[in-house]
Amino acid sequence: MDVSEFSDAEKLIYLPLYGLITGSCYLFFMPLQQMLLKKSGDHWKLKHELVFLLCFVLLSMTVARLFYLFVIVPYEPNPYSLGYHITSIFLPALSVILPILIVGRFAFGKYKDKTLEEQKIEIQGEGNYESLRLLLKDLICIQSSDNYVEVFYLDGTTLKKSLIRNTLSKVSEAFPELLRTHRSFMVNPYHFQSWKTEKGKHLLQLSQSIKIPISKTYLSDVKARIDL
């Protein structure tokens, strides 16, 4: 950032401002990161990281260049050319800043993945290798199917289902957060959308346009657990 040309007083003023510019540009693109993450179904990919970093670098260089021209040398007749600014100042600075940023983002991503993994629940089956690990918020509902349970859940934005050898009663005991609505159905109240009545029968409308019946046995408990 042309530190050698600054006096001690100027260094105390301009260098923190350059840091503020970089930090502000980074924060400016956080909504872009959230948009890309949501679009990819919570699966951050290398191409998303490259798009984020490229946008961040271009904006930072543009704002820093404008700051240099209109704040640091507003009346100088011969400011640094754009080419010199890029090759002799921006690129050397980026060679230091970008590796630190990339390593930091990678470490934070690993920490976030570990935290999410620790938050997952595990629906176990009777077989040694039968189980399903997922976040509770991704679980929509579970349906009994003979000696199995069919689990409906979200993988990103995609609705999926898995068949696990277990009973609804055992799953209900293991996860009291879930709500039994019928002898064959159990739901996650998190995905409740609306209360419906069709042909005199009570139903719950859940995410992904899933409708779950409510039997008279569980009706009062459902009303107590869900705001209707």
Side-chain angles (χ1 to χ4, degrees):
M1 296 292 106
D2 199 21
V3 174
S4 62
E5 299 295 326
F6 293 160
S7 67
D8 290 341
E10 289 173 329
K11 289 178 183 179
L12 292 175
I13 297 173
Y14 294 140
L15 293 182
L17 289 176
Y18 271 121
L20 182 61
I21 287 172
T22 304
S24 299
C25 290
Y26 184 85
L27 292 176
F28 178 82
F29 279 108
M30 293 308 291
L32 171 65
Q33 177 173 288
Q34 293 300 319
M35 182 190 72
L36 291 174
L37 184 62
K38 186 175 181 181
K39 187 176 180 180
S40 65
D42 290 333
H43 294 296
W44 191 252
K45 300 177 182 179
L46 178 60
K47 64 179 181 180
H48 300 138
E49 184 71 6
L50 294 176
V51 168
F52 178 87
L53 290 175
L54 179 61
C55 292
F56 164 68
V57 167
L58 291 177
L59 180 65
S60 298
M61 291 174 61
T62 301
V63 177
R65 173 68 177 174
L66 294 174
F67 177 74
Y68 168 75
L69 291 175
F70 295 103
V71 177
I72 296 180
V73 291
Y75 303 111
E76 292 290 335
N78 297 304
Y80 288 147
S81 66
L82 177 60
Y84 179 84
H85 219 166
I86 291 174
T87 57
S88 299
I89 296 178
F90 286 145
L91 291 183
L94 288 174
S95 68
V96 175
I97 296 171
L98 271 184
I100 297 173
L101 180 62
I102 291 170
V103 170
R105 286 174 59 83
F106 178 78
F108 180 77
K110 285 295 183 182
Y111 171 77
K112 186 177 180 181
D113 288 343
K114 182 180 178 181
T115 302
L116 287 176
E117 191 64 27
E118 291 173 350
Q119 293 175 354
K120 288 183 178 181
I121 63 173
E122 184 173 11
I123 302 175
Q124 296 181 334
E126 294 180 357
N128 293 331
Y129 302 102
E130 284 186 272
S131 68
L132 175 65
R133 285 182 59 81
L134 73 167
L135 292 171
L136 181 61
K137 69 179 183 67
D138 291 334
L139 174 61
I140 299 178
C141 64
I142 302 176
Q143 180 179 1
S144 176
S145 180
D146 296 326
N147 295 323
Y148 292 82
V149 292
E150 196 167 16
V151 183
F152 294 81
Y153 63 97
L154 291 174
D155 182 6
T157 57
T158 304
L159 177 64
K160 291 188 175 182
K161 57 183 179 179
S162 292
L163 201 62
I164 298 175
R165 187 166 50 183
N166 206 330
T167 66
L168 211 58
S169 298
K170 290 182 179 179
V171 177
S172 180
E173 291 175 5
F175 303 104
E177 306 94 334
L178 303 179
L179 177 60
R180 191 78 175 262
T181 65
H182 190 276
R183 64 184 180 87
S184 299
F185 291 93
M186 185 163 52
V187 305
N188 183 355
Y190 176 83
H191 288 278
F192 168 77
Q193 291 187 339
S194 63
W195 171 269
K196 293 186 175 295
T197 303
E198 295 181 0
K199 297 181 180 179
K201 295 182 179 180
H202 298 291
L203 302 169
L204 285 182
Q205 177 78 47
L206 304 179
S207 303
Q208 301 292 315
S209 301
I210 297 176
K211 294 180 182 179
I212 302 297
I214 308 172
S215 66
K216 293 181 180 179
T217 305
Y218 298 98
L219 183 59
S220 59
D221 188 34
V222 172
K223 288 182 176 180
R225 291 275 303 272
I226 295 180
D227 263 342
L228 301 175

